């Protein structure tokens, strides 16, 4: 393992009773990456982050931070945004930062004011935490995460429960930190959020990684291998294509078939033989949704232990 590696997990596994919450997670995050951990609620994202931070113990596997097995000293180099509800509701945002920041080292008031300005809370720095909107509470969590100028930032569902304006604010901050060269792990169930900010991606479902790699390359591969078409009788078309050895499905009012552009003529001929005619065909546009659907479509839930 390179000394430059920010985070590496090996066979990280966690069970809660009979439930397998995380199954042999292997991740490697390098400096400067914005790494997305994408999956629906319950897929294991928060469990993975809790294991990485040592908040819970794994059944098996290891976590490495900054090139060595995780230890308390290394965690001081990590800033975490998980849940803003730990702040004192009657204290101001500024006082909350000063109080929590002083738990492990003296607080520089100038740094507190600096991070409040960075996250856009200067005008409300002296307002009580309980008066903050959801977006402001998350921004205060981010301010706390960067108070020590942490080089590795972990965001767990940072825009949960936010309105569109709040989501845009948090997304802008993540991009700002990425532009400063910080390494970021973003756990989210929102395709748009991950697609707009991440450079690399691991897709989780039922606690397992079903796809992993550089985001742009994954989208390029997905777009290259699928054709989308408007055709008479969608269900019959899917059945005919399956019989001809193609993997096809219905999405909205179109049939999507796993095939490259060179197979378009054969696909057309197969359908025409059965009285099905294509009014439009195009290469599937590359986006994260197509990557996600292809990766998770056949993933089965693990069996519970008896």
């Amino acid at each position: 393992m390179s000394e430059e590696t920010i985070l590496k997990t090996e066979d990280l596994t966690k069970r809660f009773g009979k439930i397998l919450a995380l199954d042999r997670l292997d991740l490697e995050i390098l400096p400067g990456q914005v790494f997305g951990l994408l999956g629906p609620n319950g897929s294991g994202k928060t469990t993975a982050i809790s294991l990485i931070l040592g908040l819970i113990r794994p059944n098996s596997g290891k976590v490495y931070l900054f090139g060595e097995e995780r230890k308390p000293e290394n965690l001081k180099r990590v800033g975490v945004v998980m849940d803003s509800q730990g702040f004192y509701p009657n204290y101001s945002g500024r006082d909350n930062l000063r109080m929590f920041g002083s738990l492990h080292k003296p607080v520089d008031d100038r740094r507190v004011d600096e991070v409040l300005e960075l996250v856009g809370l200067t005008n409300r720095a002296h307002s009580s935490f309980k008066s903050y909107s959801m977006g402001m509470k998350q921004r205060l969590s981010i301010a706390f995460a960067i108070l020590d100028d942490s080089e590795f930032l972990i965001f767990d569902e940072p825009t949960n429960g936010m309105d569109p304006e709040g989501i845009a604010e948090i997304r802008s901050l993540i991009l700002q930190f990425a532009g400063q060269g910080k390494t970021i792990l973003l756990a989210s169930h929102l395709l748009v959020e991950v697609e707009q900010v991440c450079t690399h991606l691991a897709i989780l479902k039922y606690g397992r990684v079903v796809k992993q790699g550089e985001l742009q390359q994954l989208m390029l591969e997905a777009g290259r291998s699928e054709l989308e078409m408007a055709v008479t009788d969608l269900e019959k078309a899917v059945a005919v294509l399956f019989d001809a050895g193609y993997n096809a499905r219905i999405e909205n009012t179109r049939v999507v078939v796993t095939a490259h552009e060179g197979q378009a003529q054969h696909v057309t001929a197969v359908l025409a033989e059965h009285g099905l005619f294509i009014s439009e065909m195009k290469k599937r546009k590359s986006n994260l949704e197509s990557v996600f659907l292809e990766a998770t479509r056949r993933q089965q839930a693990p069996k519970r232990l008896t």
Side-chain angles (χ1 to χ4, degrees):
M1 178 175 54
S2 169
E3 293 182 0
E4 294 297 314
T5 301
I6 299 294
L7 170 70
K8 185 178 178 64
T9 68
E10 292 182 349
D11 294 325
L12 201 58
T13 301
K14 180 62 180 178
R15 293 184 181 275
F16 295 101
K18 297 179 179 179
I19 299 174
L20 180 60
L22 202 65
D23 187 11
R24 294 168 295 174
L25 179 69
D26 290 325
L27 296 179
E28 184 170 13
I29 301 178
L30 301 179
Q33 291 181 350
V34 182
F35 197 103
L37 199 57
L38 176 65
N41 292 330
S43 61
K45 303 186 300 295
T46 298
T47 298
I49 288 175
S50 298
L51 290 167
I52 289 167
L53 297 174
L55 301 177
I56 56 177
R57 292 184 177 182
N59 292 96
S60 61
K62 292 184 178 181
V63 175
Y64 298 89
L65 281 171
F66 307 106
E68 58 184 353
E69 196 162 351
R70 186 197 58 222
K71 53 187 179 182
E73 303 91 274
N74 287 338
L75 288 172
K76 294 178 182 178
R77 300 165 66 184
V78 182
V80 183
V81 180
M82 292 185 74
D83 189 347
S84 64
Q85 300 310 309
F87 291 114
Y88 289 109
N90 294 318
Y91 283 52
S92 69
R94 189 173 189 273
D95 285 342
N96 266 294
L97 290 185
R98 293 179 73 251
M99 181 173 299
F100 284 103
S102 66
L103 293 178
H104 58 87
K105 74 176 200 178
V107 174
D108 183 343
D109 285 345
R110 290 175 298 179
R111 177 60 180 169
V112 171
D113 293 335
E114 183 180 308
V115 296
L116 284 168
E117 181 177 3
L118 186 61
V119 301
L121 283 178
T122 298
N123 292 336
R124 294 294 302 276
H126 297 284
S127 300
S128 65
F129 178 76
K130 65 183 179 183
S131 71
Y132 284 4
S133 67
M134 180 66 75
M136 292 168 65
K137 289 177 179 178
Q138 282 295 76
R139 280 188 277 167
L140 187 66
S141 294
I142 293 171
F144 180 57
I146 63 172
L147 191 58
D148 290 337
D149 198 22
S150 304
E151 55 199 282
F152 181 32
L153 300 175
I154 297 178
F155 293 83
D156 185 18
E157 300 283 5
T159 59
N160 248 359
M162 287 190 179
D163 58 24
E165 183 178 359
I167 291 173
E169 290 174 355
I170 301 303
R171 187 182 300 142
S172 177
L173 281 172
I174 292 174
L175 289 171
Q176 184 177 346
F177 298 141
Q180 296 170 356
K182 295 186 182 297
T183 305
I184 298 169
L185 173 61
L186 169 65
S188 178
H189 66 279
L190 301 176
L191 292 167
V192 173
E193 186 169 80
V194 170
E195 186 169 359
Q196 290 191 6
V197 303
C198 292
T199 61
H200 293 74
L201 172 70
I203 298 175
L204 277 176
K205 189 172 183 183
Y206 300 128
R208 301 187 185 111
V209 172
V210 294
K211 191 73 127 181
Q212 185 170 183
E214 186 178 0
L215 181 57
Q216 291 302 319
Q217 183 61 34
L218 292 176
M219 291 197 296
L220 183 63
E221 291 171 358
R224 187 188 302 131
S225 62
E226 291 189 333
L227 300 173
E228 178 182 304
M229 66 195 78
V231 60
T232 54
D233 197 337
L234 300 179
E235 292 185 1
K236 182 179 178 181
V238 168
V240 167
L241 289 169
F242 266 120
D243 289 342
Y246 289 100
N247 183 7
R249 65 186 184 278
I250 298 172
E251 285 189 17
N252 299 320
T253 59
R254 300 296 179 99
V255 169
V256 178
V257 58
T258 303
H260 54 74
E261 288 181 289
Q263 294 173 295
Q265 185 174 352
H266 183 251
V267 168
T268 302
V270 167
L271 293 174
E273 287 176 5
H274 293 81
L276 299 166
F277 300 98
I278 298 171
S279 59
E280 181 185 357
M281 177 187 284
K282 62 182 179 180
K283 184 174 74 171
R284 186 64 183 255
K285 182 180 179 181
S286 300
N287 58 32
L288 184 52
E289 182 179 18
S290 58
V291 175
F292 182 82
L293 290 173
E294 187 276 330
T296 61
R297 191 172 298 113
R298 289 184 173 80
Q299 185 67 27
Q300 299 295 317
K303 293 182 179 180
R304 291 168 65 100
L305 293 176
T306 56

